[in-house]
Short mmCIF file of all heavy atoms in Angstrom, two decimals:
data_model
loop_
_atom_site.label_atom_id
_atom_site.label_comp_id
_atom_site.label_asym_id
_atom_site.label_seq_id
_atom_site.Cartn_x
_atom_site.Cartn_y
_atom_site.Cartn_z
N ILE A 1 -49.26 166.11 221.95
CA ILE A 1 -47.94 165.51 221.60
C ILE A 1 -46.96 166.00 222.66
O ILE A 1 -47.18 167.17 223.17
CB ILE A 1 -47.44 165.77 220.19
CG1 ILE A 1 -47.49 167.24 219.96
CG2 ILE A 1 -48.27 165.01 219.23
CD1 ILE A 1 -46.87 167.56 218.56
N SER A 2 -45.88 165.34 222.92
CA SER A 2 -45.02 165.60 224.03
C SER A 2 -43.62 165.61 223.55
O SER A 2 -43.24 164.99 222.60
CB SER A 2 -45.20 164.59 225.10
OG SER A 2 -46.45 164.53 225.68
N CYS A 3 -42.71 166.30 224.24
CA CYS A 3 -41.34 166.31 224.05
C CYS A 3 -40.55 166.19 225.44
O CYS A 3 -40.76 167.03 226.24
CB CYS A 3 -40.96 167.68 223.28
SG CYS A 3 -39.17 168.02 222.98
N ALA A 4 -39.73 165.29 225.40
CA ALA A 4 -38.85 165.01 226.62
C ALA A 4 -37.44 165.54 226.31
O ALA A 4 -36.85 165.08 225.38
CB ALA A 4 -38.88 163.54 227.04
N ALA A 5 -37.02 166.28 227.17
CA ALA A 5 -35.69 167.08 226.98
C ALA A 5 -34.72 166.43 228.03
O ALA A 5 -34.97 166.30 229.17
CB ALA A 5 -35.76 168.56 227.16
N SER A 6 -33.53 166.20 227.52
CA SER A 6 -32.37 165.80 228.30
C SER A 6 -31.04 166.46 227.96
O SER A 6 -30.93 166.76 226.77
CB SER A 6 -32.28 164.28 228.45
OG SER A 6 -31.88 163.81 227.14
N GLY A 7 -30.01 166.62 228.87
CA GLY A 7 -28.86 167.27 228.47
C GLY A 7 -28.87 168.66 228.28
O GLY A 7 -28.06 169.19 227.58
N LEU A 8 -30.02 169.23 228.66
CA LEU A 8 -30.12 170.64 228.43
C LEU A 8 -30.68 171.28 229.86
O LEU A 8 -31.37 170.74 230.47
CB LEU A 8 -31.21 170.85 227.34
CG LEU A 8 -31.76 172.25 227.01
CD1 LEU A 8 -30.67 172.99 226.15
CD2 LEU A 8 -33.12 172.08 226.11
N THR A 9 -30.19 172.57 230.09
CA THR A 9 -30.59 173.27 231.17
C THR A 9 -32.07 173.79 230.86
O THR A 9 -32.35 174.93 230.43
CB THR A 9 -29.83 174.40 231.58
OG1 THR A 9 -28.35 173.95 231.76
CG2 THR A 9 -30.29 175.03 232.94
N PHE A 10 -33.11 172.87 231.07
CA PHE A 10 -34.42 173.06 230.40
C PHE A 10 -35.04 174.39 231.04
O PHE A 10 -35.62 175.06 230.20
CB PHE A 10 -35.28 171.80 230.83
CG PHE A 10 -36.58 171.88 230.06
CD1 PHE A 10 -36.74 171.60 228.79
CD2 PHE A 10 -37.75 172.22 230.88
CE1 PHE A 10 -37.86 171.53 228.21
CE2 PHE A 10 -38.92 172.22 230.30
CZ PHE A 10 -39.14 171.90 228.94
N SER A 11 -34.83 174.60 232.19
CA SER A 11 -35.61 175.74 232.84
C SER A 11 -35.01 177.18 232.50
O SER A 11 -35.62 178.12 232.59
CB SER A 11 -35.52 175.67 234.32
OG SER A 11 -34.19 175.73 234.80
N SER A 12 -33.78 177.15 231.70
CA SER A 12 -33.25 178.41 231.10
C SER A 12 -33.52 178.34 229.58
O SER A 12 -32.92 179.37 229.01
CB SER A 12 -31.83 178.43 231.46
OG SER A 12 -31.63 178.44 232.86
N SER A 13 -34.24 177.44 229.08
CA SER A 13 -34.30 177.30 227.54
C SER A 13 -35.71 177.54 227.01
O SER A 13 -36.65 176.98 227.66
CB SER A 13 -33.89 175.83 227.17
OG SER A 13 -32.56 175.69 227.59
N ALA A 14 -35.75 178.41 226.11
CA ALA A 14 -36.99 178.54 225.41
C ALA A 14 -37.32 177.37 224.49
O ALA A 14 -36.30 176.77 224.04
CB ALA A 14 -37.05 179.78 224.50
N MET A 15 -38.46 177.01 224.27
CA MET A 15 -38.84 175.77 223.47
C MET A 15 -39.79 176.09 222.38
O MET A 15 -40.55 177.09 222.49
CB MET A 15 -39.38 174.65 224.38
CG MET A 15 -38.56 174.24 225.54
SD MET A 15 -36.89 173.54 225.05
CE MET A 15 -37.65 171.96 224.25
N GLY A 16 -39.88 175.31 221.30
CA GLY A 16 -40.81 175.67 220.32
C GLY A 16 -41.17 174.26 219.59
O GLY A 16 -40.54 173.21 219.74
N TRP A 17 -42.28 174.44 218.88
CA TRP A 17 -42.70 173.39 218.02
C TRP A 17 -42.76 173.90 216.66
O TRP A 17 -43.27 174.95 216.30
CB TRP A 17 -44.13 172.86 218.42
CG TRP A 17 -44.26 172.08 219.60
CD1 TRP A 17 -44.59 172.52 220.89
CD2 TRP A 17 -44.00 170.69 219.75
NE1 TRP A 17 -44.49 171.56 221.74
CE2 TRP A 17 -44.21 170.28 221.11
CE3 TRP A 17 -43.62 169.70 218.81
CZ2 TRP A 17 -43.90 169.02 221.62
CZ3 TRP A 17 -43.48 168.41 219.22
CH2 TRP A 17 -43.71 168.12 220.71
N PHE A 18 -42.33 173.14 215.68
CA PHE A 18 -42.35 173.46 214.24
C PHE A 18 -42.94 172.20 213.63
O PHE A 18 -42.97 171.08 214.09
CB PHE A 18 -41.10 173.72 213.71
CG PHE A 18 -40.37 175.07 214.23
CD1 PHE A 18 -39.85 175.17 215.46
CD2 PHE A 18 -40.42 176.13 213.36
CE1 PHE A 18 -39.21 176.29 216.02
CE2 PHE A 18 -39.93 177.33 213.83
CZ PHE A 18 -39.39 177.39 215.04
N ARG A 19 -43.38 172.37 212.36
CA ARG A 19 -43.98 171.14 211.67
C ARG A 19 -43.52 171.34 210.10
O ARG A 19 -43.25 172.41 209.64
CB ARG A 19 -45.49 171.17 211.65
CG ARG A 19 -46.19 172.21 211.08
CD ARG A 19 -47.72 172.12 211.39
NE ARG A 19 -48.49 173.08 210.74
CZ ARG A 19 -49.77 173.33 210.92
NH1 ARG A 19 -50.43 172.60 211.72
NH2 ARG A 19 -50.38 174.27 210.16
N GLN A 20 -43.53 170.13 209.45
CA GLN A 20 -43.09 170.13 208.12
C GLN A 20 -43.90 169.05 207.43
O GLN A 20 -43.87 167.89 207.73
CB GLN A 20 -41.63 169.94 207.86
CG GLN A 20 -41.21 170.05 206.45
CD GLN A 20 -39.72 170.14 206.27
OE1 GLN A 20 -38.90 169.96 207.11
NE2 GLN A 20 -39.32 170.62 205.11
N ALA A 21 -44.80 169.46 206.39
CA ALA A 21 -45.50 168.64 205.67
C ALA A 21 -44.62 168.22 204.37
O ALA A 21 -43.74 169.03 203.91
CB ALA A 21 -46.84 169.17 205.26
N PRO A 22 -44.94 167.22 203.68
CA PRO A 22 -44.29 166.81 202.45
C PRO A 22 -44.35 167.95 201.43
O PRO A 22 -45.33 168.52 201.22
CB PRO A 22 -45.07 165.56 202.02
CG PRO A 22 -45.67 165.03 203.17
CD PRO A 22 -46.04 166.09 204.06
N VAL A 23 -43.14 168.14 200.79
CA VAL A 23 -43.06 169.25 199.76
C VAL A 23 -43.36 170.59 200.28
O VAL A 23 -43.83 171.38 199.48
CB VAL A 23 -43.89 168.72 198.50
CG1 VAL A 23 -43.36 169.56 197.27
CG2 VAL A 23 -43.86 167.26 198.30
N LYS A 24 -43.27 170.87 201.58
CA LYS A 24 -43.52 172.19 202.07
C LYS A 24 -42.40 172.58 202.96
O LYS A 24 -41.73 171.69 203.41
CB LYS A 24 -44.84 172.13 202.99
CG LYS A 24 -46.02 172.01 202.12
CD LYS A 24 -47.37 172.22 202.93
CE LYS A 24 -48.57 172.14 202.18
NZ LYS A 24 -49.76 172.23 202.97
N GLU A 25 -42.33 174.01 203.30
CA GLU A 25 -41.40 174.40 204.07
C GLU A 25 -41.61 174.22 205.53
O GLU A 25 -42.85 173.96 205.91
CB GLU A 25 -41.06 176.00 203.84
CG GLU A 25 -40.78 176.30 202.41
CD GLU A 25 -39.29 175.84 202.16
OE1 GLU A 25 -38.41 176.03 202.90
OE2 GLU A 25 -39.13 175.45 200.97
N ARG A 26 -40.65 174.19 206.37
CA ARG A 26 -40.78 174.08 207.74
C ARG A 26 -41.68 175.29 208.29
O ARG A 26 -41.23 176.43 207.87
CB ARG A 26 -39.54 173.95 208.52
CG ARG A 26 -39.64 173.68 210.05
CD ARG A 26 -38.31 173.12 210.51
NE ARG A 26 -37.16 173.74 210.19
CZ ARG A 26 -35.87 173.45 210.42
NH1 ARG A 26 -35.66 172.23 210.94
NH2 ARG A 26 -34.88 174.08 209.90
N GLU A 27 -42.62 175.11 209.12
CA GLU A 27 -43.42 176.09 209.52
C GLU A 27 -43.44 176.12 211.01
O GLU A 27 -43.44 175.21 211.75
CB GLU A 27 -44.88 175.85 209.05
CG GLU A 27 -45.94 176.72 209.40
CD GLU A 27 -47.40 176.26 209.18
OE1 GLU A 27 -47.61 175.14 208.88
OE2 GLU A 27 -48.36 177.19 209.22
N PHE A 28 -43.42 177.48 211.54
CA PHE A 28 -43.52 177.68 213.04
C PHE A 28 -44.92 177.31 213.43
O PHE A 28 -45.91 177.77 212.88
CB PHE A 28 -43.19 179.17 213.31
CG PHE A 28 -43.46 179.62 214.71
CD1 PHE A 28 -42.73 179.18 215.70
CD2 PHE A 28 -44.52 180.42 214.87
CE1 PHE A 28 -42.96 179.64 217.01
CE2 PHE A 28 -44.94 180.78 216.18
CZ PHE A 28 -44.25 180.37 217.26
N VAL A 29 -44.96 176.73 214.55
CA VAL A 29 -46.19 176.34 215.19
C VAL A 29 -46.50 177.06 216.48
O VAL A 29 -47.57 177.72 216.68
CB VAL A 29 -46.39 174.85 215.39
CG1 VAL A 29 -47.67 174.34 216.09
CG2 VAL A 29 -46.28 174.04 214.08
N ALA A 30 -45.68 176.97 217.41
CA ALA A 30 -45.78 177.65 218.67
C ALA A 30 -44.43 177.61 219.46
O ALA A 30 -43.39 176.86 219.15
CB ALA A 30 -46.67 176.72 219.53
N SER A 31 -44.37 178.56 220.36
CA SER A 31 -43.10 178.60 221.20
C SER A 31 -43.46 179.09 222.62
O SER A 31 -44.54 179.60 222.90
CB SER A 31 -42.10 179.68 220.56
OG SER A 31 -42.55 180.99 220.51
N ILE A 32 -42.67 178.85 223.54
CA ILE A 32 -42.86 179.20 224.91
C ILE A 32 -41.57 179.64 225.58
O ILE A 32 -40.45 179.11 225.34
CB ILE A 32 -43.52 178.01 225.66
CG1 ILE A 32 -43.95 178.29 227.03
CG2 ILE A 32 -42.59 176.75 225.68
CD1 ILE A 32 -44.86 177.28 227.64
N GLY A 33 -41.56 180.68 226.36
CA GLY A 33 -40.39 181.11 227.18
C GLY A 33 -40.10 180.19 228.13
O GLY A 33 -40.67 179.25 228.57
N SER A 34 -38.80 180.35 228.78
CA SER A 34 -38.17 179.52 229.72
C SER A 34 -39.01 179.33 230.97
O SER A 34 -39.12 178.31 231.60
CB SER A 34 -36.76 179.89 230.06
OG SER A 34 -36.80 181.11 230.58
N THR A 35 -39.79 180.33 231.34
CA THR A 35 -40.57 180.40 232.60
C THR A 35 -42.05 179.98 232.23
O THR A 35 -42.90 179.92 233.22
CB THR A 35 -40.66 181.77 233.22
OG1 THR A 35 -41.23 182.63 232.35
CG2 THR A 35 -39.06 182.19 233.50
N GLY A 36 -42.35 179.72 230.85
CA GLY A 36 -43.73 179.51 230.56
C GLY A 36 -44.43 180.72 229.98
O GLY A 36 -45.56 180.60 229.45
N ILE A 37 -43.79 181.85 230.07
CA ILE A 37 -44.40 183.14 229.51
C ILE A 37 -43.21 183.87 228.70
O ILE A 37 -42.03 183.80 229.15
CB ILE A 37 -44.75 184.07 230.70
CG1 ILE A 37 -45.90 183.52 231.43
CG2 ILE A 37 -45.17 185.40 230.15
CD1 ILE A 37 -46.23 184.29 232.67
N PRO A 38 -43.53 184.31 227.49
CA PRO A 38 -44.82 184.20 226.81
C PRO A 38 -45.00 183.02 226.02
O PRO A 38 -44.04 182.22 225.96
CB PRO A 38 -44.66 185.48 225.91
CG PRO A 38 -43.16 185.37 225.51
CD PRO A 38 -42.55 185.08 226.71
N THR A 39 -46.16 182.79 225.50
CA THR A 39 -46.42 181.74 224.46
C THR A 39 -46.90 182.48 223.14
O THR A 39 -47.48 183.56 223.16
CB THR A 39 -47.54 180.87 224.88
OG1 THR A 39 -48.75 181.62 225.12
CG2 THR A 39 -47.22 180.04 226.12
N ARG A 40 -46.40 181.93 222.09
CA ARG A 40 -46.64 182.53 220.73
C ARG A 40 -47.09 181.33 219.79
O ARG A 40 -46.74 180.24 219.94
CB ARG A 40 -45.41 183.21 220.21
CG ARG A 40 -44.95 184.32 221.06
CD ARG A 40 -43.55 184.82 220.76
NE ARG A 40 -43.54 185.65 219.59
CZ ARG A 40 -42.46 186.15 218.98
NH1 ARG A 40 -41.36 186.08 219.65
NH2 ARG A 40 -42.63 186.95 217.86
N TYR A 41 -47.90 181.77 218.87
CA TYR A 41 -48.50 180.77 217.91
C TYR A 41 -48.46 181.27 216.55
O TYR A 41 -48.56 182.43 216.26
CB TYR A 41 -49.85 180.43 218.36
CG TYR A 41 -50.06 179.82 219.65
CD1 TYR A 41 -50.26 180.58 220.74
CD2 TYR A 41 -49.95 178.43 219.83
CE1 TYR A 41 -50.36 179.97 222.02
CE2 TYR A 41 -49.99 177.88 221.11
CZ TYR A 41 -50.24 178.71 222.22
OH TYR A 41 -50.41 178.19 223.41
N GLY A 42 -48.21 180.27 215.56
CA GLY A 42 -48.48 180.72 214.17
C GLY A 42 -49.98 180.94 213.83
O GLY A 42 -50.75 180.43 214.48
N ASP A 43 -50.07 181.75 212.78
CA ASP A 43 -51.37 182.20 212.44
C ASP A 43 -52.38 180.95 212.07
O ASP A 43 -53.57 181.02 212.52
CB ASP A 43 -51.40 183.16 211.31
CG ASP A 43 -50.71 184.53 211.71
OD1 ASP A 43 -50.76 184.85 212.83
OD2 ASP A 43 -50.43 185.18 210.72
#
């Protein structure tokens, strides 16, 4: 899956992915620093 960003200084911005299933809380999936380092993942 992909995310296209606009209107944002993308190279200075950390990004993340979250997910939410029905009747569940929003869950952290993954994140990435502005330079591509570090990357972090939900368990």
